[in-house]
Amino acid sequence: MSKESISLRIPIMLRAQTSHPLDPLSAAEISVAVATVRAAGATPEVRDSMRFVEVVLVEPEKHVVALADAYFFPPFQPSLLPRTKGGPVIPSKLPPRQARLVVYNKRSNETSIWIVELSEVHAATRGGHHRGKVISSKVVADVQPPMDAVEYAECEAVVKDFPPFREAMKKRGIEDMDLVMVDPWCVGYHSDADAPSRRLAKPLIFCRTESDCPMENGYARPVEGIYVLVDMQNMVVVEFEDRKLVPLPPADPLRNYTPGETRGGVDRSDVKPLQIIQPEGPSFRVNGYFVEWQKWNFRIGFTPREGLVIYSVAYIDGSRGRRSVAHRLSFVEMVVPYGDPNDPHYRKNAFDAGEDGLGKNAHSLKKGCDCLGYIKYFDAHFTNFTGGVETIENCVCLHEEDHGMLWKHQDWRTGLAEVRRSRRLTVSFVCTVANYEYGFFWHFYQDGKIEAEVKLTGILSLGALQPGEIRKYGTTIAPGLYAPVHQHFFVARMDMAVDCKPGETFNQVVEVDVKVEEPGKNNVHNNAFYAEEKLLRSEMQAMRDCNPLSARHWIIRNTRTVNRTGQLTGYKLVPGSNCLPLAGSEAKFLRRAAFLKHNLWVTPYARDEMYPGGEFPNQNPRVGEGLATWVNQNRSLEETDIVLWYVFGVTHIPRLEDWPVMPVEHIGFRLMPHGFFNCSPAVDVPPSTCDLDLKDNGVTGKPIQNGLLAKL
């Protein structure tokens, strides 16, 4: 073939692609997007009243991602695209990146959505004359966007300056407003009074005991009996009532959690240093946001709402090459309903992703990281409320962890043993929403398993008790203090692509239950049981719940690919511990959280179906918006591009041991290969070097020479 024919078939790129289509927006891109929208404001008043709730990447169509991975970005995988007669036609460049902005107009109380196109030259320029191009804009009626940290700070100041509030606190013996903590909570939707025509918050009040101790646990003294309603648009108190004079709980001597004497205690002295050393560096490789580890590869993303996003998850399987598992994995919503019918606890049902944003509340792990060993960090960039760019440094943590035994067997006849240690790659971030902390983790294992884990910690949301009072809806934690019962629910959205190349829609979901064989000729010993499969053919049929009594799980299968035994390849979703809402069916929060009514939902992929409670759950008056409405289409699931929505939760009956700061509670689920491989993919993991493992006497151990003799 001549050089001329090659050049005609593969044009030279006009400009090098600097950002992969799935890379999070850079700080420069966010600046350009904000400047573009602000410049498009019709009047100076409109421009000045713009508040920027969210600026996020418009994720491109899947074929654009495939094109980028095939020809524009390493490791360059042309096999991702189908073969065509005459060879592939490769465009000279990828489509320009786009940003999606949620803008709140503080003057008009309107929420709008803007799409801005960004080019390379724009992305490299911070503001100035080079701006993006507005592709579209629309006002979304009858919604309230998530609250912002700036609003929370302003709300606290407004409440503290409100004379009736100061008078109410004076009745409780508090005149120093520096001791007072005002935590604004979204009002949710309980009646027409909460309609989104007003932007509202109902704060919870707490009070510290020492103004010169910034790390004092102020949540140890809840202030009850004061009702406050704040108009967050105009930042004024619109309703106030001192309903009941509940005495402030006495200062709890066990309330603080800082080191040693600063909390009034003594730290244990017998904890020796534990160091994780990787003298040759980590086993993973990172190129931008692209990660390769062992046989796994994927891309890392981050959004203000979801936080960490995992894209393009694939496994390199020897001669079979790159095998896809999922296109996109993330936690898209969480809900925390409380079980105390008393005021103010009955209205505590936070939608921490949709009302606040998990990503926007993420930590900089510079301020304290629980990861050990060699760590790769990723920064996250956001807009603040006024349109400036803020960066959370070291927001996402990537590192390897030893995970104990991977597999082992010892032959009792020969005494010979083979054992392998397990290692996993962990990607995580941690966020704080008011009093609680949540760590979100994706673990990748050497045996092809993926584990999703949430770690719950932080401080309980408490209530105050009258002297001698006991409440059945919570646990007494200290004199005058109790912790209401509550639940934490999380929703993982998994856009699966098991053994699918881009453009292929060859997945289905099968439910598996273990059944006991009926007594009779097929079960004369009454010991028989078997796994029964049921294909989930449509959306309405695929609203499912966990059932540990039947070991229920679900398999996502490729309908066109088989393993060496002729079975369809697949990955199975294995539930961990789980629960369903314990509230009555008419509970107000279930209007907005109808997706909590089942543990599993399955839908065919639709680009605009991202959030199970709809995009704007804050003060949402519409019943069942989002997932519960989408499935009414009852679309076919027999062979399609499958999206799993797994809802998992924990019921928290507080303990005294959860105070003053809660030890981590673990909850999650696993995605495990099920017939995806022809045998264990972990059989090729090499033995560990154990000669350096020190025993308790400081001497390296030696293997038993004659295992059979030892056994006899």
Side-chain angles (χ1 to χ4, degrees):
M1 184 179 289
S2 68
K3 291 183 179 179
E4 181 179 354
S5 63
I6 293 175
S7 64
L8 289 174
R9 182 167 297 165
I10 307 178
I12 299 173
M13 288 187 292
L14 298 179
R15 182 186 297 115
Q17 306 292 318
T18 58
S19 294
H20 186 277
L22 291 176
D23 284 354
L25 293 179
S26 66
E29 287 175 312
I30 293 172
S31 292
V32 168
V34 168
T36 302
V37 169
R38 184 172 273 140
T43 65
E45 290 77 17
V46 170
R47 294 192 287 272
D48 291 344
S49 61
M50 285 182 172
R51 298 295 181 268
F52 295 86
V53 177
E54 181 181 280
V55 182
V56 69
L57 174 74
V58 176
E59 296 177 13
E61 298 284 358
K62 294 180 180 181
H63 73 271
V64 174
V65 177
L67 184 65
D69 290 338
Y71 297 110
F72 288 82
F73 291 89
F76 302 110
Q77 305 167 79
S79 62
L80 286 173
L81 296 180
R83 295 179 179 179
T84 56
K85 189 175 182 180
V89 177
I90 307 171
S92 59
K93 59 181 180 179
L94 295 170
R97 282 156 62 86
Q98 295 183 340
R100 184 179 189 270
L101 298 89
V102 176
V103 180
Y104 174 68
N105 189 302
K106 195 168 176 64
R107 182 182 295 269
S108 65
N109 195 36
E110 288 181 334
T111 300
S112 56
I113 296 175
W114 300 68
I115 305 296
V116 172
E117 183 179 286
L118 305 163
S119 69
E120 293 293 327
V121 65
H122 297 142
T125 306
R126 291 180 178 270
H129 297 292
H130 298 284
R131 294 194 175 97
K133 176 184 176 183
V134 174
I135 302 300
S136 66
S137 66
K138 64 176 180 180
V139 173
V140 185
D142 207 26
V143 301
Q144 282 294 339
M147 293 291 185
D148 187 86
V150 170
E151 293 180 288
Y152 287 158
E154 292 178 356
C155 178
E156 181 174 59
V158 164
V159 172
K160 286 184 179 184
D161 285 342
F162 190 60
F165 175 77
R166 298 173 76 96
E167 184 63 29
M169 292 303 297
K170 188 175 181 180
K171 290 180 183 178
R172 291 160 174 81
I174 303 298
E175 297 189 47
D176 182 359
M177 286 295 110
D178 288 340
L179 297 175
V180 177
M181 297 163 44
V182 179
D183 277 13
W185 280 55
C186 296
V187 297
Y189 187 87
H190 294 82
S191 68
D192 290 343
D194 301 325
S197 56
R198 297 186 298 169
R199 188 166 174 81
L200 301 173
K202 290 182 179 178
L204 298 178
I205 314 298
F206 303 89
C207 184
R208 299 196 304 272
T209 59
E210 305 170 68
S211 58
D212 60 347
C213 182
M215 285 299 291
E216 183 194 356
N217 181 3
Y219 290 112
R221 284 216 299 175
V223 180
E224 291 207 3
I226 297 178
Y227 168 82
V228 188
L229 180 68
V230 179
D231 179 338
M232 301 291 279
Q233 177 192 358
N234 302 300
M235 211 51 72
V236 294
V237 175
V238 291
E239 293 180 17
F240 179 86
E241 188 178 351
D242 190 354
R243 293 176 170 173
K244 187 178 183 181
L245 184 59
V246 180
L248 287 177
D252 181 11
L254 302 180
R255 68 187 180 280
N256 291 329
Y257 49 88
T258 50
E261 293 181 1
T262 63
R263 72 168 188 279
V266 178
D267 288 345
R268 59 183 74 181
S269 59
D270 57 350
V271 180
K272 304 298 183 184
L274 175 64
Q275 297 178 338
I276 306 298
I277 301 173
Q278 296 178 274
E280 298 180 22
S283 299
F284 58 78
R285 297 189 301 276
V286 178
N287 185 351
Y289 291 94
F290 182 68
V291 177
E292 295 174 282
W293 178 77
Q294 305 279 297
K295 301 182 179 185
W296 288 107
N297 61 66
F298 54 86
R299 287 192 173 274
I300 287 176
F302 204 86
T303 73
R305 181 168 183 154
E306 304 156 279
L308 177 62
V309 180
I310 306 293
Y311 297 106
S312 304
V313 180
Y315 192 95
I316 307 303
D317 187 17
S319 61
R320 299 186 71 169
R322 179 189 187 275
R323 300 179 68 189
S324 173
V325 175
H327 177 71
R328 191 183 194 277
L329 307 172
S330 71
F331 297 97
V332 288
E333 189 57 273
M334 60 171 292
V335 184
V336 187
Y338 281 70
D340 186 342
N342 295 285
D343 187 51
H345 308 288
Y346 76 89
R347 55 181 171 83
K348 289 159 64 172
N349 43 73
F351 286 61
D352 287 336
E355 291 179 341
D356 289 287
L358 302 178
K360 290 181 76 170
N361 287 285
H363 297 179
S364 168
L365 296 175
K366 280 187 170 182
K367 299 177 181 178
C369 181
D370 63 345
C371 307
L372 296 174
Y374 188 101
I375 302 169
K376 166 64 179 175
Y377 291 109
F378 297 85
D379 296 343
H381 306 290
F382 303 102
T383 177
N384 59 29
F385 209 38
T386 54
V389 178
E390 296 185 358
T391 297
I392 302 176
E393 296 182 314
N394 294 9
C395 184
V396 173
C397 172
L398 172 74
H399 73 293
E400 294 176 285
E401 294 179 343
D402 179 87
H403 197 62
M405 188 189 301
L406 176 61
W407 57 262
K408 181 177 184 176
H409 180 66
Q410 178 172 306
D411 189 316
W412 68 269
R413 290 180 173 83
T414 65
L416 299 177
E418 290 286 344
V419 62
R420 303 292 186 271
R421 287 201 71 79
S422 176
R423 188 181 300 190
R424 68 184 185 185
L425 183 70
T426 294
V427 198
S428 63
F429 82 104
V430 182
C431 68
T432 297
V433 186
N435 53 295
Y436 259 111
E437 265 74 21
Y438 301 97
F440 296 91
F441 297 75
W442 292 97
H443 305 291
F444 295 84
Y445 290 84
Q446 294 164 305
D447 61 356
K449 180 168 74 256
I450 301 171
E451 182 183 11
E453 181 183 28
V454 180
K455 298 180 181 180
L456 299 81
T457 180
I459 299 175
L460 297 167
S461 180
L462 303 181
L465 295 173
Q466 299 273 19
E469 182 185 6
I470 296 177
R471 286 195 186 171
K472 64 187 289 188
Y473 306 106
T475 302
T476 300
I477 294 294
L481 277 178
Y482 86 108
V485 295
H486 56 283
Q487 296 180 288
H488 300 260
F489 290 100
F490 306 88
V491 185
R493 179 185 181 274
M494 295 170 280
D495 183 356
M496 302 301 292
V498 175
D499 254 346
C500 288
K501 290 187 175 181
E504 294 181 346
T505 57
F506 301 150
N507 281 180
Q508 61 181 201
V509 180
V510 172
E511 182 173 271
V512 181
D513 284 296
V514 175
K515 300 282 186 170
V516 176
E517 184 68 82
E518 294 292 333
K521 63 179 182 179
N522 292 328
N523 188 18
V524 294
H525 303 292
N526 287 310
N527 68 316
F529 60 91
Y530 59 96
E532 182 178 80
E533 297 184 356
K534 174 184 177 183
L535 175 63
L536 304 181
R537 299 182 180 276
S538 66
E539 290 177 288
M540 296 297 284
Q541 194 180 15
M543 297 184 294
R544 311 301 298 162
D545 296 326
C546 295
N547 185 358
L549 297 180
S550 66
R552 178 173 292 171
H553 58 276
W554 298 275
I555 304 174
I556 306 93
R557 283 190 172 141
N558 186 293
T559 57
R560 308 288 181 93
T561 306
V562 296
N563 54 37
R564 67 172 178 167
T565 64
Q567 302 170 45
L568 297 176
T569 61
Y571 257 75
K572 68 177 182 179
L573 191 165
V574 182
S577 61
N578 209 335
C579 61
L580 288 169
L582 294 171
S585 60
E586 299 302 313
K588 298 295 185 182
F589 76 90
L590 287 176
R591 292 172 54 99
R592 302 185 294 146
F595 54 87
L596 297 183
K597 294 180 179 180
H598 296 287
N599 295 129
L600 181 75
W601 308 70
V602 187
T603 61
Y605 171 77
R607 195 177 182 192
D608 59 343
E609 294 180 1
M610 281 297 299
Y611 306 113
E615 181 169 9
F616 300 105
N618 186 16
Q619 297 179 238
N620 185 2
R622 295 166 290 279
V623 179
E625 187 168 43
L627 191 52
T629 298
W630 300 333
V631 298
N632 288 332
Q633 302 170 74
N634 206 25
R635 294 164 289 190
S636 173
L637 302 173
E638 293 196 41
E639 188 178 64
T640 188
D641 188 350
I642 290 292
V643 177
L644 297 180
W645 310 75
Y646 182 63
V647 181
F648 57 107
V650 59
T651 300
H652 191 180
I653 310 299
R655 309 170 298 150
L656 271 72
E657 292 84 356
D658 291 330
W659 182 253
V661 63
M662 181 176 132
V664 163
E665 176 104 14
H666 301 259
I667 184 175
F669 62 92
R670 291 172 293 164
L671 292 171
M672 301 178 65
H674 187 92
F676 190 81
F677 301 104
N678 287 328
C679 68
S680 167
V683 75
D684 62 354
V685 173
S688 302
T689 303
C690 60
D691 292 342
L692 299 179
D693 292 343
L694 293 176
K695 306 305 177 184
D696 59 2
N697 59 359
V699 180
T700 56
K702 294 182 179 180
I704 297 173
Q705 297 299 315
N706 192 329
L708 179 58
L709 182 61
K711 183 176 179 66
L712 294 174

